[in-house]
Amino acid sequence: MRGWLTDDHSLTARIRARCGRFSLQVVSQGKGVVLPDELAALGVHRHGALWQREVLLIADGEPVVFARSLVAATTVPAAWHLLRHLGGRPLAAVLFDDPRVHRSPLEAARLDARDTRWHHAAQATGRNALPPLWARRSVFRRSAAPLLITEVFLPAIRNLAP
């Protein structure tokens, strides 16, 4: 899993290069509940209007990554306005093609049933018996506005070449 967790290039591009058919499924989008560690990573000091987008990255018909993007709703119309109109398009195209976007170092963790993100991944895949899952996250900044992306690696990721 080390390669998946530490490669700071586009995860979407890496998955696409390792499968025959790639797709993205939007699980949810809109205002959502944010965890205290997510608030801290965003640099937000109180609960407010936070906008979220949760998706599944699918390789050859099998979900391989559950991704969660969070941004303060006040920054959506300005720096991250295009997030509302992505639809089924990957966010990676926006993040890695824009020279104004800067990424923080990756953080990795192992999530289990004690973590809300694990439950979101389980619900998105319809599988309640998931094992502990590796995840990574980083903050992207555009015009100083933060966007937190957490990528949870599902068991099928192991079917793709590292």
Side-chain angles (χ1 to χ4, degrees), residues 96-113:
F96 291 95
D97 292 343
D98 187 340
R100 297 170 294 174
V101 175
H102 302 282
R103 186 181 199 176
S104 71
L106 290 164
E107 299 174 0
R110 194 156 170 108
L111 309 179
D112 59 26

Side-chain angles (χ1 to χ4, degrees), residues 9-91:
H9 295 91
S10 167
L11 180 61
T12 300
R14 188 170 184 188
I15 292 169
R16 278 187 163 153
R18 288 162 173 75
C19 70
R21 191 173 32 101
F22 174 84
S23 61
L24 181 142
Q25 176 187 338
V26 177
V27 175
S28 69
Q29 186 169 293
K31 290 185 180 178
V33 177
V34 181
L35 301 171
D37 68 292
E38 293 172 327
L39 289 170
L42 281 167
V44 176
H45 303 292
R46 60 180 173 77
H47 285 283
L50 286 141
W51 185 86
Q52 74 174 10
R53 180 177 190 241
E54 295 180 331
V55 301
L56 287 172
L57 305 182
I58 301 168
D60 297 322
E62 192 67 36
V64 292
V65 172
F66 169 78
R68 175 176 165 87
S69 306
L70 297 167
V71 65
T74 55
T75 63
V76 172
W80 298 108
H81 70 280
L82 46 99
L83 296 179
R84 292 188 188 265
H85 308 291
L86 278 173
R89 292 179 297 141
L91 184 55

Side-chain angles (χ1 to χ4, degrees), residues 139-162:
V139 175
F140 291 82
R141 293 189 184 280
R142 183 176 188 212
S143 302
L147 165 69
L148 175 65
I149 298 181
T150 302
E151 297 155 324
V152 180
F153 294 91
L154 301 169
I157 196 75
R158 295 181 187 276
N159 298 336
L160 301 179

